[in-house]
Structure formats: structure tokens, C-alpha cells
Amino acid sequence: MSETKAGDGPYTYAQAGVSIAAGNALVRAIGPLARSTRRAGADADLGGFGGIFDLKAAGFTDPLLVAANDGVGTKLKLAIEHNHHDGVGIDLVAMCANDLIVQGAEPLFFLDYYASGKLDNAVAERVIASIAEGCRQAGCALIGGETAEMPGMYADGDYDLAGFCVGAVERDRLLDGKKIAPGDVLLGLASNGVHSNGFSLVRRLAADKGWKLDRPALFDQDRLLIDALMAPTRIYVASLLPELRKGNIHGLAHITGGGLLENVPRVLPEGTHARIDADAWPLPRLMAFLQAQGNIEPEEMARTFNCGIGMVAVVAADQAEAVSAALTAAGETVYPIGTIEAGERGCTVVGGDETWSARAPWSATHHG
């Protein structure tokens, strides 16, 4: 009789660390979440090999499609380490949907990619529930996604996210910067906090300074520091769409990595220069805390963090007051922060006695 050695028995996918049953259970659990994001053009049911969207049913006649993809970055490490999974899906949608609205496009549908070493359905459901909430805020349908379980690729408990969003804009309403001209006014829409950029520096400060993230923040005793840091990225779609449809906005810049200095020039035409007054809005206490804790130079702050402004709208001077009032009524906090001048395509930020400038970045599509 031959001796049976370890490994001679029948192999299974589960032995290798992948549970098909767990994946199927997750799909069943998130079905209602997807259905809650239904909108005209999509029924948002899951289970097929691809999602379908009907542009005609959504009311478009001569549309251009606009697509964006992004992730959440190292903010996920804080989410994982502190069991703070209920907002990162909003971040994921926001980083994509806000990039569509700046081109005048209405976000239509969203797909997500969730990857982990071992699928934890309880965590995954919380994350995907927050993705669905982000889709509801952005008005887009969650029509599909992918859950990947890859043992050996991720440490225990780790996961990663990627998001993909497609929107549409009528051809004659595309925001391409051509309407921007000297004399236009820059309106800054307040951010919710750090949003989703600069977290490698935030995490370095937290480690080096020994922050107690589960304690009240020094700058806000009514809020835990972890809650302040993990506030989800603000989604500006619902407030901006009505003004875009009226033709009242000449350009928009989503303030992500690179800050005001590098994102505003991306939407400017040649021969125009943005001049921003950093004293025109209050630096949020969270931003002041980060700056003080890291002894961060003002220019480094302006390139790393949004510094309190998550979106910039470029409008004609005679429309600035009306647009500001409409956005305020829609729930935004709006500040007039600067103007467009004739000059080299770029941005100058003036704060106190200091001035920082940046030319337009080499790429109009890469976020860094």
C-alpha cells in the first residue's frame, strides 16, 4: 500500500485562500445597495458580465462621454488601522465624480474594484455601502464592480480600492476653458477637510508626533482626531450642475494633489493667469494644526493640501454674485478668492507677505 504524502489529496481554491462562496455572498448582500443608486438610464442591477447604460433614456441628444478613474490613496491605511471604513467609498466616488463635473459632465455610472488578501465580508459591505452613498450624492448609478481575493498580494486585513466613473455632457456645454478670459472671478468652494490627498504626510506626522487619533482633536474638543482626518471628500456635483446647465460657469478646477498652485492652471487657456489671495478665506483649524505640527512651509502646504478649498469655479465678473448666491443656497460655502489676469498660463498665490507661483503642469490629464 502506497504512503499518502501531504499535498497528495485533491486541491481546492479554498485551500489556496480564495472563497468563491464568500464572494457570491457579498454580491448578494450588496445587490440592494446597487439598486438604491438607480437613475434614469440604468437599473443598477448586478450580476451580469457588464453594466449597461442608456444615454437616450438619460435625456442626452448629442453627448460626449467623459471618463475618470482614481483611488483613495494611503488614507485607506488609516481606515484599516482604525476600523474607519464607512466613508472611504464616498472618497472613491468623489475623486472620480468631481473630475467629471469640472469638464461639465454629469456623472452617469460608476464601477468599483475592491481587492484584498482575504475577503472580510463585514468590512467589504461597509466599504461598498459607502460607495453606494457616494453614488447617491453624485447622482450616478453603481452598475458593476469587481471583488478580487488575492492571498499573498496583500497583508492580512489590508484592502485596496479603485473607482471608474463615466459621465456625459452635451457637446455645446463642454467646459474646455475657451470661455475663460481676463477679468473673470475665481470662487472657492470650501472643502470638508483633507479630502484624499496628502495622507502620506499626515500619516508620517501622526507616527513621528505620537498623535492619539482616538482622542479629541486639539483644535476641536467635540471631535475625535481620527474623525476629523477621515471626513469624506466633498462631492460638488449636485450644487454645480444647475449652474453649468445655465452656462454660468466658465471653468472648474478640482483641488487634489498639487493643491491650488497646480490644479487651477490645468483649466486655463493660453494667455491667462490665475491670481489667488490666500487671505480671502480662513485657513481651517485642521489645516493650521497640520502646518504647525509639521512646521510646514506655506508653499509646501499650498502644493500638498487643499488648504480649505476643494473646488474652484471661474465665472464672469458680472455673474459672480449670482453664482455665489446659488451655490450657497445649494449648501456650499463660497469665497471670492481671486481673478483671472492676462499673462503666462499658470497660477500665483499671495498670502501675507509671501508669493508662490506655478506654471501650467506638463500634463492636463495626470493627477500625480
Side-chain angles (χ1 to χ4, degrees), residues 66 96-107 175 236-238 240-241 244 252 254 311:
V66 184
C96 297
N98 285 340
D99 278 358
L100 296 186
I101 198 70
V102 299
Q103 294 175 87
E106 176 185 352
L175 282 189
Y236 299 95
V237 172
L240 288 171
L241 268 177
L244 287 169
L252 290 167
H254 182 200
M311 182 73 73

Side-chain angles (χ1 to χ4, degrees), residues 275-281 283 291 298-299 348-356:
R275 186 172 185 85
I276 294 174
D277 179 6
D279 297 322
W281 73 94
L283 184 69
Q291 184 172 17
E299 184 172 3
T348 295
V349 177
V350 178
D353 297 327
E354 299 190 62
T355 300
W356 320 289

Side-chain angles (χ1 to χ4, degrees), residues 27 43 53 160 163 173 256 264 271:
V27 171
D43 61 16
F53 192 92
D160 198 10
R173 292 181 181 172
T256 55
V264 172

Side-chain angles (χ1 to χ4, degrees), residues 253-264:
H254 182 200
I255 309 306
T256 55
L260 289 161
L261 276 172
E262 295 189 7
N263 283 289
V264 172

